[in-house]
């Protein structure tokens, strides 16, 4: 997981670095090491001091999950071998530091795609398991760990265990935010595709009730589904949205020219924002203007448009360091889920966000399918809303605390991979297997070898 880092002092085999999550809030200093082999990773874990350590990939956890103030951080990105690919069955064995981007580069020409991808390709396989990431296809395919056949896990005693689905250690590791050990490698099952293009349907939706009705009635027809939602719209336009759904395009849907290289993968890149931006760019007025234009330019209904994979799944990856647009203060990414039957809670929260005027232009609503077995895995059957908010918005902390209370009262939960400020007393109600997770951690790691800013803040 990459993030902003500023070296401050060197030490043997590593560097003291100021580390943040992708939201660029609450930096803390840790001793960062970058092992090149599993043996070097094991040696680093044995040498961690009283503040322990945590594994880190490409830094796309938004909050403090891959930070460790005063302790160690293990940068896993040098363990990046793809060990084997079975092109007939779609099974790949790879190191934990391999990114989803690299898997796509290697696998797409063979006719295979990663089973689950979030809104960025810049996530490692280890991070994908540790956060049990989800994507636009959760209602069909579940979360990432559902497609993992096995993982090698380095635990606090220095042993390496091959963990498999259906075991307690696997279920604690999937979504366990790196706190059961260091994932070294994994065996993944892939999804067969004929092309590297998507067939996409796009439609404008008038309000939140209309959006939920369409998703409920027709989501099963699509593998991928997501709605951008205007969280500044109020009144009859509350929750107006642009609904985008798609499938991997079959070969016969491509024009003749595209059929010459149907599995080509060429994601484009745009210039990134400058390193320093003046404060106050993202105000209610500027984001309101953006939202109005974005909604109006969307088609009322467009069917079967061919789009690149990168455009459909990862549009922001084309803008390096896009997180800088929020300025020095950074931003909070807030994501929650509430179950089916709690639609009124979702309406109430959207209404409160609109009334509060939170300037969020990266807000998405999805419909989750059944959750998976991970004890701290985030998804559950229901509705999930994610939004970004400038961290320096006045009164933001108190406002999000109120939303947490709404979510918890409805039996929902917040996403730990994006969290940076949840109150620990709410966690047990959100994650019913928390006590089991803590008990297993105490048994496996009685001396707190694995620790992070997140684990200390939430007493995980």
């Amino acid at each position: 997981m990459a993030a902003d880092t500023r070296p401050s002092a060197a030490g043997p085999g590593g560097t003291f670095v100021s580390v943040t999550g992708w939201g660029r809030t609450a930096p803390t200093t840790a001793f960062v090491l970058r092992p090149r082999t599993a043996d070097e990773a094991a040696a680093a874990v044995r040498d961690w001091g009283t503040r322990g350590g945590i594994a880190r990939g490409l830094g796309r956890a938004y909050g403090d999950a891959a930070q460790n103030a005063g302790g160690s951080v293990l940068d896993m990105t040098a363990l990046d071998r793809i060990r084997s690919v079975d092109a007939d069955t779609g099974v790949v064995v790879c190191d934990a530091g391999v990114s989803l981007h690299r898997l796509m580069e290697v696998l797409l020409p063979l006719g295979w795609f990663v089973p689950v991808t979030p809104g960025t390709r810049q996530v490692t396989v280890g991070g994908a398991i540790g956060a049990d990431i989800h994507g636009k296809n959760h209602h069909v395919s579940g979360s990432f760990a559902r497609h993992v056949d096995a993982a090698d896990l380095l635990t606090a005693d220095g042993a390496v265990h091959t963990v498999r689905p259906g075991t307690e250690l696997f279920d604690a590791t999937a979504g366990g935010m790196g706190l059961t050990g260091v994932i070294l490698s994994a065996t993944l099952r892939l999804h067969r595709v004929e092309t590297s293009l998507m067939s996409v349907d796009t439609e404008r939706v008038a309000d939140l009730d209309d959006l939920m009705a369409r998703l409920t009635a027709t989501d099963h027809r699509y593998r991928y589904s997501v709605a951008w939602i205007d969280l500044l719209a109020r009144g009859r336009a509350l929750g107006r949205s642009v609904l985008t759904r798609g499938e991997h395009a079959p070969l016969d849907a491509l024009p003749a020219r595209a059929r010459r290289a149907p599995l080509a993968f060429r994601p484009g890149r745009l210039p990134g924002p400058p390193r320093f931006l003046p404060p106050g760019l993202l105000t209610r007025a500027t984001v309101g203007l953006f939202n109005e234009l974005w909604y109006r330019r969307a088609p009322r209904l467009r069917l079967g448009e061919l789009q690149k994979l990168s455009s459909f799944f990862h549009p922001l990856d084309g803008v390096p360091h896009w997180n800088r647009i929020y300025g020095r203060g950074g931003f909070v990414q807030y994501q929650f889920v509430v179950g089916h039957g709690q639609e009124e809670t979702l309406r109430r929260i959207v209404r409160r966000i609109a009334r509060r005027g939170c300037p969020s232009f990266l807000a998405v609503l999805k419909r989750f399918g059944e959750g998976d077995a991970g004890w701290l895995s985030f998804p559950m059957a229901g509705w999930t809303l994610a939004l970004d908010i400038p961290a320096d918005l006045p009164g933001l902390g108190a406002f999000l605390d109120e939303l947490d209370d709404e979510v918890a009262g409805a039996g929902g939960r917040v996403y730990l991979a994006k969290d940076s400020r949840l109150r620990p007393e709410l966690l047990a109600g959100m994650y019913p297997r928390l006590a089991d997770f803590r008990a297993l951690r105490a048994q496996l790691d009685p001396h707190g070898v694995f620790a992070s800013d997140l684990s200390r803040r939430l007493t995980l």
Side-chain angles (χ1 to χ4, degrees), residues 40 65 83 198 339 355 358 408 428 456:
E40 288 184 5
R83 301 184 182 186
M198 301 296 296
R355 204 162 48 231
C358 293
R456 280 187 288 269

Side-chain angles (χ1 to χ4, degrees), residues 39-393:
D39 287 342
E40 288 184 5
V45 170
R46 285 194 299 269
D47 290 342
W48 282 344
T50 57
R51 295 288 286 181
I54 194 72
R56 181 181 179 93
L58 285 167
R60 292 306 179 100
Y62 286 81
D64 54 3
Q67 300 174 213
N68 185 26
S72 297
V73 167
L74 206 60
D75 178 345
M76 296 294 290
T77 55
L79 277 78
D80 59 355
R81 292 178 303 154
I82 297 178
R83 301 184 182 186
S84 67
V85 179
D86 188 324
D88 294 324
T89 63
V91 173
V92 61
V93 181
C94 62
D95 288 349
V98 173
S99 69
L100 299 192
H101 174 84
R102 180 61 180 150
L103 287 181
M104 292 176 198
E105 285 184 321
V106 172
L107 299 171
L108 271 170
L110 303 176
W112 295 99
F113 189 63
V114 295
V116 172
T117 177
T120 175
R121 303 184 298 278
Q122 305 304 327
V123 176
T124 63
V125 168
I129 298 170
D132 200 14
I133 61 172
H134 56 272
K136 298 177 175 71
N137 60 339
H138 189 274
H139 62 292
V140 172
S141 302
S143 48
F144 194 87
R146 185 183 296 187
H147 307 274
V148 176
D149 284 341
D152 285 346
L153 183 72
L154 171 66
T155 51
D157 58 2
V160 176
H161 305 264
T162 298
V163 296
R164 301 183 188 279
T167 64
E168 286 192 340
L169 188 50
F170 184 93
D171 291 345
T173 299
M177 307 310 297
L179 295 170
T180 60
V182 178
I183 299 168
L184 299 173
S185 64
T187 302
L188 312 175
R189 284 173 282 109
L190 308 169
H191 177 66
R192 171 75 81 179
V193 296
E194 294 183 12
T195 75
S196 60
L197 294 175
M198 301 296 296
S199 175
V200 180
D201 294 351
T202 305
E203 54 190 309
R204 260 192 297 183
V205 183
D207 57 48
L208 181 60
D209 286 343
D210 188 12
L211 175 62
M212 289 192 290
R214 294 192 198 197
L215 288 170
T216 300
T218 61
D219 233 18
H220 63 281
R221 301 177 189 170
Y222 297 87
R223 177 170 292 273
Y224 302 100
S225 180
V226 67
W228 169 87
I229 183 169
D230 182 358
L231 290 177
L232 289 176
R234 300 171 66 174
R236 289 186 298 177
L238 181 79
R240 67 178 181 176
S241 309
V242 178
L243 177 57
T244 307
R245 296 186 281 191
E247 300 281 354
H248 294 279
L251 185 61
D252 60 12
L254 271 57
R257 185 174 181 180
R259 293 185 198 182
R260 298 172 192 168
L263 292 164
F265 179 57
R266 304 186 188 94
R269 285 171 71 86
L270 298 171
R275 190 167 185 83
F276 299 106
L277 291 168
L281 288 180
L282 296 179
T283 64
R284 191 186 189 288
T286 59
V287 173
L289 177 61
F290 171 88
N291 287 1
E292 182 69 28
L293 293 173
W294 190 261
Y295 181 76
R296 294 297 174 190
R297 72 180 289 274
R300 292 187 181 277
L301 178 64
R302 182 172 59 206
L303 302 177
E305 180 190 20
L306 293 179
Q307 293 184 9
K308 290 182 177 180
L309 285 169
S310 54
S311 299
F312 181 76
F313 289 109
H314 316 119
L316 286 175
D317 280 352
V319 184
H321 305 293
W322 62 263
N323 56 341
R324 292 179 186 164
I325 65 176
Y326 295 88
R328 290 177 179 269
F331 70 103
V332 172
Q333 175 88 184
Y334 184 69
Q335 183 169 6
F336 68 89
V337 58
V338 293
H340 294 305
Q342 291 295 332
E343 286 76 13
E344 185 52 41
T345 300
L346 177 62
R347 291 187 193 95
R348 191 162 53 246
I349 290 176
V350 170
R351 198 175 296 118
R352 292 185 67 169
I353 293 170
R355 204 162 48 231
R356 178 67 172 73
C358 293
S360 177
F361 68 95
L362 294 175
V364 296
L365 182 76
K366 294 194 288 277
R367 186 168 175 266
F368 278 160
E370 293 298 324
D372 288 294
W375 291 354
L376 297 186
S377 184
F378 168 67
M380 56 184 279
W383 304 95
T384 181
L385 177 66
L387 61 148
D388 63 298
I389 313 171
D392 56 6
L393 188 71

Side-chain angles (χ1 to χ4, degrees), residues 425-448:
E425 61 267 24
L426 295 180
L427 194 64
M430 293 181 171
Y431 289 90
R433 299 299 300 271
L434 178 64
D436 295 326
F437 180 81
R438 285 171 170 161
L440 184 63
R441 277 249 296 149
Q443 176 187 337
L444 283 174
D445 186 8
H447 303 296

